Amino acid sequence: MNRVDTKDKKQVALGVNWHEICLILISFMFARVGFEGSFYTAGIAYIGSLYVTKSMRYFGPLVAMLGILSVGEFNIRVLKYILMITIIMLIRKFIEESQKSFNIRNQMVSVFVSTLLVNLVCTVILGRTLYAIAIGVVEAIVAVALTYIFYCGIEVLKEQRDTPLTNKEGISVILMFAVLIAGLVDFYIRIPLCKEIYFRDILTYIVLIGVIYLGGMNIGVTISMVMSSLLVIIGYIEPVFVAIYGMTALMGGLFLTLGRCGVILGGAVGQILGCMLFNGGQIDLSLSGAYLIASLISMILPKHYFGLAGWFGEKSREQNEQLHLERVQRIMTSRLKHIVGGFEKLGDSFQKADLKKTDFTQKDVKRIIEETGEKMCIDCSMRRFCWEQDINTTYKHAQEMMNIFEKKGFIAEGEIPALFKAHCPNAVNFAYVMSFKMDLLRQEMAWHNRFIENRALIAQQLKAVAVTLKNLVQEVEKEIYFNKEEEKLLRESLLAAGIKLTDIMILENKGKIQSIELYTSIEQRDYKDLMEQIIEDTLGYRVTLDSCTYQKNNYEYKWRIKNTYRITSGYAVSAKEEVSGDVYTFMEVEDDQYLLALADGMGSGRVAYEESAATIGMLEDFMDSGFRKDLAVKMINSALILNEKSEVFSTIDVTLIDRKSGIAEFLKAGAATSFILHKNEVIPIRMSTLPIGIVKDVDLEIKRVQLEDGDIVIMITDGILEASGDEVGKEETFKHFILECKGQAPQYMADYLMQKSKDLLGVMPGDDMTIVVARIWQEY
């Protein structure tokens, strides 16, 4: 008998349409979503789209009413939406009795009529303005639009679709997921350290991880924006968390090639980075705890996500192009590592600075005098005389002591006014208490001012980081592009010459080809010249073989576009002491730029060297990681101001040469004049700017000069032009030295100019002297 009962129960369970029941129950969550706390339009629209079966038409509105009532308040707003649902049910009853068919059109009409009618009635009863009528009309139109959108998503869920979604269906499902999460009845669990972890946050992250894993970065970022924006509208989270969710999705998508574990790891990095950038550097422990739980749950879910993987048809194509994604990943991770290195250097520079002298207002002085009097004179027999009969004299003597404290930082017993000391039986203690309060106020004001200054400096740095990260994201999303058409054309050209490829990648950046990677299963070194010729003839670019490596059973040939210009450099240094305080660098940075830089620390010797070396080191890191040169200098300026010493500054001289165009950009902060030797003419490059590390808002000026074949750039520190007691301090003399030099090799010229400067001095130099020379010539 028990076996028969069990069998019957299974048959009944199998006969129940669970998808239909779920769609009905979802109406409870949709009805709870109130935009701006007033408009429960999403619930009305969902009821309008839930009409396909009789049970949906009957039970859906009833469950939605319960959802509206579960919000916890019963007023005219709640009653208004219950009336809308009631009218929709009455219209459906009329259609049913008229034996007419139900379709999306008559349901959209019923939603429009019910929403507009109730809003107009409420406007008339409450005596509102034309603006309220306009709002009612707009809400009715929005409700109709949402009805159609939800209808597309319900069709997908009802049919248990396991094939790729169209764009229309995808948008509908995304919006439905977002509204569903926004309308959940939330509860939380308490965990040590994380405090409260909310169910809604856990579910949000489960959905986000699944969507990124199945659909890729673009869909993941889109869903994160939609879900977080809805949660902001209903008042669940602050607007800043929209950026945090977006960063989580972006980083999770970048690590997609590592599988679901990579998505989870990347999302964790993105959340931490988002909190550091957009939440004042504070990690939200509750949100982090929710992400951890969501990650554990996601790991045990089946990889096909109960059939939802079929919705994302683009996933298979992305997997077939895994090599392309790995290339993007390498670019992103490489740059992020450089940015992290820059942050570490800034962190080392953030030290407590010396206190600055702070002036007091007259109001502060008066308050300290009165507080001291209340404390010291409350039980004194002379109180009435000092603070009532002769109060002007008392204030005068107290002011004199305050002036002494401002100048010397303390009040000696012998400096207490004689008349005050004669009248006051507790004069020494009075002076001590007043000076103690003054000292406390001075420290408080100094630290307050320093705190404000540091906040401004850190804000300046974060803005620079934000600009760089924004440019980096734009580069990944828009600028980095794999040119499929030219890849196909080049593959065919190489095949016609008998060179077979297993893969080919042509990477473009900012509309220009950056690199060409060819993969073959056998080594084709004998074909190197032929490959080069075919690439140049097919694409129209001059190329050179950058590298040839063996990876994953493939030979990888990486070709790069030849630059128009080449640059060689030389230098010469003369130290005043054992170690020169000047530091120089010349190096290649991103986008085929060539960097020349000089830093001159305050003074000379080891201390000046350390300051200059730190400046140049940070400049190299920032420039190599993609920071604009002006932002890099501003961040270094902030680091120097926040140095443990109160007066640490350095001049910095930067020249950046584009090896494709030949344009040189000069940036100076307190640096000496630079020179360009163009044929038989010497062109000075001067700028009137302060060294970095002196003022918070450093004023930078950039000059651009078009260099030509054979031009020479000479950069010097101020020890050359500002040497005292000799004509070498004149720019004209140094320009004459440049024109006198017979050789044009950079190292020869640097040594020659240094020797001429030292010979003219005839004595030990008064400052460190450094010369950097770079020559540019065009490749043919």
Side-chain angles (χ1 to χ4, degrees), residues 463-655:
K463 286 180 181 179
V465 174
V467 170
T468 303
L469 284 175
K470 183 178 179 181
N471 293 338
L472 182 60
V473 172
Q474 290 175 346
E475 184 176 320
V476 172
E477 291 180 340
K478 298 180 180 179
E479 294 179 351
I480 295 179
Y481 169 67
F482 296 99
N483 194 319
K484 297 294 184 182
E485 293 182 3
E486 292 194 344
E487 286 175 2
K488 182 179 178 181
L489 182 63
L490 182 57
R491 182 192 291 271
E492 292 175 351
S493 299
L494 290 169
L495 184 60
I499 302 175
K500 296 181 180 180
L501 303 179
T502 58
D503 197 8
I504 178 174
M505 288 193 295
I506 299 179
L507 175 65
E508 286 189 358
N509 192 338
K510 300 177 182 177
K512 299 178 181 178
I513 292 181
Q514 297 296 310
S515 67
I516 302 166
E517 297 185 12
L518 307 179
Y519 298 85
T520 67
S521 57
I522 58 174
E523 189 173 8
Q524 309 260 3
R525 280 193 180 275
D526 294 339
Y527 294 97
K528 172 185 172 296
D529 294 337
L530 178 59
M531 292 169 72
E532 181 176 317
Q533 186 64 45
I534 292 173
I535 293 172
E536 292 182 350
D537 292 343
T538 304
L539 303 180
Y541 291 92
R542 296 175 59 253
V543 297
T544 181
L545 183 63
D546 197 29
S547 63
C548 176
T549 57
Y550 182 76
Q551 292 182 3
K552 299 179 181 179
N553 300 322
N554 275 293
Y555 286 92
E556 176 185 346
Y557 295 86
K558 185 174 181 180
W559 304 79
R560 62 178 175 83
I561 308 301
K562 285 184 178 179
N563 291 313
T564 305
Y565 295 93
R566 292 186 63 187
I567 300 169
T568 56
S569 304
Y571 66 93
V573 177
S574 177
K576 176 184 177 182
E577 300 179 12
E578 183 179 353
V579 178
S580 173
D582 300 341
V583 177
Y584 65 89
T585 187
F586 36 82
M587 59 182 288
E588 295 182 7
V589 293
E590 68 159 11
D591 294 334
D592 294 311
Q593 305 277 312
Y594 193 86
L595 172 69
L596 302 161
L598 271 174
D600 184 2
M602 179 180 63
S604 59
R606 175 64 61 179
V607 175
Y609 168 78
E610 291 175 355
E611 295 167 6
S612 301
T615 301
I616 289 295
M618 284 188 284
L619 177 66
E620 290 176 339
D621 285 334
F622 289 138
M623 292 297 296
D624 204 28
S625 61
F627 280 84
R628 294 202 321 254
K629 54 191 167 298
D630 55 334
L631 294 178
V633 173
K634 287 181 179 179
M635 293 182 75
I636 296 170
N637 179 67
S638 301
L640 293 181
I641 291 179
L642 290 170
N643 197 281
E644 60 183 356
K645 299 179 182 179
S646 59
E647 293 182 357
V648 176
F649 59 86
S650 172
T651 67
I652 187 165
D653 195 354
V654 178
T655 301

Side-chain angles (χ1 to χ4, degrees), residues 208 211-212 215-225 227 245 249-250:
L208 195 57
V211 168
I212 296 172
M217 180 172 64
N218 291 338
I219 297 178
V221 172
T222 301
I223 287 189
S224 72
M225 293 293 104
M227 288 194 303
Y245 275 100
L250 177 66

Side-chain angles (χ1 to χ4, degrees), residues 320-332:
N320 292 334
E321 297 180 350
Q322 187 171 355
L323 289 175
H324 291 277
L325 294 176
E326 287 177 352
R327 174 65 173 168
V328 176
Q329 180 190 352
R330 290 200 301 268
I331 294 172
M332 272 298 290

